[in-house]
Amino acid sequence: MAPTSETLTAERILEATEEVLRRHGPAKATVVDVARALGVSHGSVYRHFRTKAALREAVTKRWLDRTSGELSGIAAGDGDPATRLRDWLAALFAAKRRKAGADPELFATYTVLTGENGTAVGEHIADLTAQLTRIVRDGVASGDFTSDDPQVTARAVFQATGRFHDPCYAREWEEPGAEADFTAVVDVLLRGLRP
């Protein structure tokens, strides 16, 4: 039985939107398509998301938040900061590779959507940088790292590893040597952080 507007939640709409985007791509996906997939009127969707742009931004944020959520446990851990930093960067690289490899059509769609949604992307990057800042700050406190400004250092680490998480490099992530290149970059960064 199709859901009624009373049982319709924002989460259900976002799930349906992801499916519609997977099938139709960002250029052709419409709110009407999402409503049809849910068995409701497009007005029911608009009660949860006032505009098509708001719906697209929410689905983009949801997608980006999955990565942030995977990484937050590593950042909040209490283990050795150098190990946490290596593990965090490796988990970020693995999450991005998994998204690009497991569902390339949806990854391409989200690459388009993130280009449209500067707010969601900016918040995502700020969250990731805050997680890195926590690791660097913990490393400075324990004497494992040296940094005059952990936030600046965290941004530098994030930017220096961009090849391994920025979607514009997705084609390179499965090339031979990508893993070795990643390890070499992280090794250089960790040596540079040591007192």
Side-chain angles (χ1 to χ4, degrees):
M1 183 169 123
T4 65
S5 59
E6 288 80 40
T7 62
L8 192 62
T9 64
E11 185 62 24
R12 288 180 56 115
I13 293 169
L14 294 174
E15 288 170 4
T17 302
E18 192 168 280
E19 262 319 298
V20 167
L21 286 165
R22 183 180 281 115
R23 275 192 313 241
H24 300 292
K28 294 183 180 177
T30 68
V31 174
V32 172
D33 295 325
V34 173
R36 190 176 301 125
L38 290 164
V40 300
S41 72
H42 66 281
S44 297
V45 175
Y46 282 124
R47 279 193 275 287
H48 289 272
F49 299 96
R50 297 181 77 78
T51 64
K52 178 180 177 181
L55 176 59
R56 287 166 75 104
E57 182 159 352
V59 79
T60 302
K61 182 178 179 346
R62 179 178 180 256
W63 187 69
L64 294 171
D65 285 350
R66 287 183 194 138
T67 301
S68 295
E70 290 177 38
L71 299 170
S72 65
I74 298 168
D78 58 1
D80 167 59
T83 301
R84 284 172 43 216
L85 181 59
R86 183 180 297 279
D87 290 350
W88 191 94
L89 291 168
L92 177 60
F93 186 28
K96 296 292 182 155
R97 286 172 82 178
R98 189 171 51 253
K99 285 181 177 186
D103 199 343
E105 294 82 13
L106 194 58
F107 186 79
T109 293
Y110 277 110
T111 300
V112 170
L113 292 180
T114 57
E116 294 175 359
N117 293 298
T119 303
V121 173
E123 289 171 1
H124 176 66
I125 291 171
D127 181 43
L128 295 181
T129 304
Q131 290 182 27
L132 277 173
T133 300
R134 179 176 184 165
I135 296 170
V136 172
R137 191 172 286 125
D138 289 352
V140 170
S142 68
D144 292 310
F145 298 157
T146 184
S147 171
D148 293 334
D149 186 334
Q151 188 173 23
V152 169
T153 299
R155 277 197 313 269
V157 167
F158 189 76
Q159 291 166 358
T161 57
R163 178 176 171 227
F164 306 103
H165 56 79
D166 187 321
C168 74
Y169 295 101
R171 287 194 172 130
E172 298 177 16
W173 295 341
E174 296 304 323
E175 288 182 4
E179 232 9 93
D181 290 348
F182 170 78
T183 300
V185 167
V186 174
D187 287 346
V188 166
L189 290 170
L190 286 170
R191 278 195 301 274
L193 286 169
R194 289 189 191 122

Coordinates of all heavy atoms in Angstrom, one line a residue, residues 75-76 81 84-85 88-89 125-141 145 147 149-158 193:
A75 N 37.9 10.5 15.4 CA 38.3 11.8 15.9 C 38.1 11.9 17.4 O 39.0 12.5 18.1 CB 37.6 12.9 15.2
A76 N 37.0 11.3 17.9 CA 36.7 11.4 19.4 C 37.4 10.4 20.2 O 37.3 10.5 21.4 CB 35.2 11.3 19.6
P81 N 47.4 9.9 19.1 CA 47.0 10.9 18.0 C 47.5 10.6 16.6 O 46.8 10.8 15.6 CB 47.5 12.2 18.6 CG 47.6 12.0 20.0 CD 48.0 10.6 20.2
R84 N 45.4 7.8 15.3 CA 44.1 8.3 15.0 C 44.1 9.2 13.8 O 43.2 9.1 12.9 CB 43.6 9.2 16.2 CG 43.1 8.3 17.3 CD 42.7 9.1 18.6 NE 42.0 10.3 18.4 CZ 42.2 11.4 19.2 NH1 43.1 11.5 20.1 NH2 41.5 12.5 18.9
L85 N 45.1 10.0 13.6 CA 45.2 10.8 12.4 C 45.3 9.9 11.1 O 44.6 10.1 10.2 CB 46.4 11.8 12.4 CG 46.5 12.7 11.2 CD1 45.3 13.6 11.0 CD2 47.7 13.6 11.4
W88 N 42.0 8.2 10.6 CA 40.9 9.1 10.2 C 41.1 9.4 8.7 O 40.2 9.3 7.9 CB 41.0 10.4 11.0 CG 39.9 11.3 10.8 CD1 38.7 11.4 11.6 CD2 39.7 12.3 9.8 NE1 37.9 12.4 11.1 CE2 38.5 13.0 10.0 CE3 40.5 12.7 8.7 CZ2 38.0 14.0 9.2 CZ3 40.1 13.8 7.9 CH2 38.9 14.4 8.1
L89 N 42.3 9.7 8.3 CA 42.6 9.9 6.8 C 42.3 8.7 6.0 O 41.7 8.8 4.9 CB 44.0 10.4 6.6 CG 44.3 11.8 7.2 CD1 45.8 12.1 7.2 CD2 43.6 12.9 6.4
I125 N 32.8 20.4 5.1 CA 34.3 20.6 5.3 C 34.6 21.2 6.6 O 35.6 20.8 7.2 CB 34.8 21.5 4.1 CG1 34.7 20.7 2.8 CG2 36.2 22.0 4.4 CD1 34.9 21.5 1.5
A126 N 33.8 22.1 7.1 CA 34.0 22.6 8.5 C 33.9 21.5 9.5 O 34.8 21.5 10.5 CB 33.0 23.7 8.8
D127 N 33.0 20.6 9.4 CA 32.9 19.5 10.3 C 34.1 18.6 10.3 O 34.7 18.2 11.3 CB 31.6 18.6 10.1 CG 31.5 17.5 11.0 OD1 31.7 17.7 12.3 OD2 31.1 16.4 10.6
L128 N 34.6 18.2 9.1 CA 35.7 17.4 8.9 C 37.0 18.1 9.5 O 37.8 17.5 10.1 CB 35.9 17.0 7.4 CG 34.8 16.1 6.8 CD1 35.2 15.8 5.3 CD2 34.6 14.9 7.6
T129 N 37.1 19.4 9.2 CA 38.3 20.1 9.7 C 38.2 20.2 11.2 O 39.3 20.1 11.9 CB 38.3 21.5 9.1 OG1 38.3 21.4 7.6 CG2 39.5 22.3 9.5
A130 N 37.0 20.3 11.8 CA 36.9 20.4 13.3 C 37.3 19.0 13.9 O 38.0 19.0 14.9 CB 35.5 20.7 13.7
Q131 N 37.0 17.9 13.2 CA 37.4 16.6 13.6 C 38.9 16.5 13.6 O 39.6 16.0 14.5 CB 36.8 15.5 12.8 CG 35.3 15.4 13.0 CD 34.7 14.2 12.2 OE1 35.3 13.2 11.9 NE2 33.4 14.4 11.9
L132 N 39.5 16.9 12.5 CA 41.0 16.9 12.4 C 41.6 17.8 13.4 O 42.7 17.4 14.0 CB 41.4 17.4 11.0 CG 41.4 16.3 9.9 CD1 41.7 17.0 8.6 CD2 42.4 15.2 10.2
T133 N 41.0 18.9 13.7 CA 41.6 19.9 14.7 C 41.6 19.2 16.1 O 42.6 19.3 16.8 CB 40.7 21.2 14.8 OG1 40.7 21.8 13.5 CG2 41.2 22.1 15.8
R134 N 40.6 18.4 16.4 CA 40.6 17.7 17.7 C 41.7 16.8 17.8 O 42.4 16.7 18.8 CB 39.2 17.0 17.8 CG 39.2 16.2 19.1 CD 37.8 15.6 19.3 NE 37.8 14.9 20.6 CZ 36.7 14.5 21.2 NH1 35.6 14.6 20.7 NH2 36.8 13.9 22.4
I135 N 42.0 16.0 16.7 CA 43.1 15.1 16.7 C 44.4 15.8 16.9 O 45.3 15.4 17.7 CB 43.1 14.2 15.4 CG1 41.8 13.4 15.4 CG2 44.4 13.3 15.4 CD1 41.6 12.6 14.0
V136 N 44.6 16.9 16.1 CA 45.9 17.7 16.2 C 46.0 18.3 17.6 O 47.1 18.2 18.2 CB 45.9 18.7 15.1 CG1 47.2 19.6 15.3 CG2 46.0 18.1 13.7
R137 N 45.0 18.8 18.1 CA 45.0 19.4 19.4 C 45.4 18.4 20.5 O 46.2 18.6 21.4 CB 43.7 20.1 19.8 CG 43.7 20.9 21.0 CD 42.4 21.7 21.2 NE 42.3 22.8 20.2 CZ 41.3 23.0 19.4 NH1 40.3 22.2 19.4 NH2 41.3 24.0 18.6
D138 N 44.8 17.2 20.4 CA 45.2 16.1 21.3 C 46.6 15.7 21.1 O 47.3 15.4 22.1 CB 44.3 14.9 21.0 CG 42.8 15.1 21.5 OD1 42.5 16.1 22.1 OD2 42.0 14.2 21.2
G139 N 47.1 15.7 19.9 CA 48.5 15.4 19.7 C 49.5 16.4 20.2 O 50.5 16.1 20.8
V140 N 49.1 17.7 20.2 CA 49.9 18.8 20.8 C 49.9 18.6 22.3 O 50.9 18.7 22.9 CB 49.4 20.2 20.3 CG1 50.0 21.3 21.1 CG2 49.6 20.4 18.8
A141 N 48.7 18.3 22.9 CA 48.6 18.2 24.3 C 49.4 17.0 24.8 O 50.0 17.1 25.9 CB 47.1 18.0 24.7
F145 N 52.6 15.9 18.7 CA 52.6 16.8 17.5 C 53.1 18.2 18.0 O 53.0 18.5 19.2 CB 51.2 17.0 16.9 CG 50.6 15.8 16.3 CD1 49.2 15.7 16.2 CD2 51.4 14.7 15.9 CE1 48.6 14.6 15.6 CE2 50.8 13.6 15.3 CZ 49.4 13.5 15.2
S147 N 52.4 22.2 16.9 CA 51.6 23.1 16.1 C 51.3 24.4 16.9 O 50.9 24.3 18.0 CB 50.3 22.4 15.7 OG 49.4 23.4 15.0
D149 N 49.0 26.5 15.9 CA 47.6 26.7 15.7 C 47.0 25.4 15.2 O 47.0 25.1 14.0 CB 47.3 27.8 14.8 CG 45.8 28.2 14.7 OD1 45.0 27.3 15.0 OD2 45.5 29.4 14.4
P150 N 46.5 24.5 16.0 CA 45.9 23.2 15.5 C 44.9 23.3 14.4 O 44.8 22.5 13.6 CB 45.3 22.6 16.8 CG 46.2 23.1 17.9 CD 46.4 24.6 17.5
Q151 N 44.1 24.4 14.5 CA 43.0 24.6 13.4 C 43.7 24.8 12.1 O 43.3 24.3 11.1 CB 42.1 25.7 13.8 CG 40.9 25.8 12.9 CD 39.9 26.8 13.3 OE1 40.2 27.7 14.1 NE2 38.7 26.6 12.9
V152 N 44.7 25.7 12.0 CA 45.4 26.0 10.8 C 46.1 24.7 10.3 O 46.1 24.3 9.1 CB 46.4 27.1 11.0 CG1 47.3 27.2 9.8 CG2 45.7 28.4 11.2
T153 N 46.7 24.0 11.2 CA 47.4 22.7 10.9 C 46.4 21.7 10.3 O 46.6 21.0 9.3 CB 48.1 22.1 12.1 OG1 49.1 23.1 12.5 CG2 48.8 20.8 11.8
A154 N 45.2 21.6 10.9 CA 44.2 20.7 10.5 C 43.7 21.0 9.1 O 43.6 20.1 8.2 CB 43.0 20.7 11.4
R155 N 43.5 22.3 8.8 CA 43.1 22.7 7.4 C 44.2 22.3 6.4 O 44.0 21.9 5.3 CB 42.9 24.2 7.4 CG 41.5 24.5 7.8 CD 41.0 26.0 7.4 NE 42.0 27.0 7.7 CZ 42.1 27.7 8.8 NH1 41.2 27.5 9.8 NH2 43.0 28.6 9.0
A156 N 45.5 22.5 6.8 CA 46.6 22.2 6.0 C 46.7 20.7 5.7 O 46.9 20.2 4.5 CB 47.9 22.6 6.6
V157 N 46.4 19.9 6.7 CA 46.4 18.4 6.5 C 45.3 18.0 5.6 O 45.4 17.2 4.6 CB 46.3 17.7 7.9 CG1 45.9 16.2 7.7 CG2 47.5 17.8 8.7
F158 N 44.1 18.6 5.8 CA 42.9 18.4 4.9 C 43.3 18.7 3.5 O 43.0 17.9 2.5 CB 41.7 19.1 5.4 CG 40.4 18.7 4.7 CD1 39.8 17.5 5.0 CD2 39.9 19.6 3.8 CE1 38.6 17.2 4.4 CE2 38.7 19.2 3.2 CZ 38.1 18.0 3.5
L193 N 54.6 16.8 11.6 CA 53.9 17.1 12.8 C 54.7 16.8 14.1 O 54.4 17.3 15.1 CB 52.5 16.4 12.9 CG 51.5 17.0 12.0 CD1 50.3 16.1 11.9 CD2 51.1 18.4 12.4

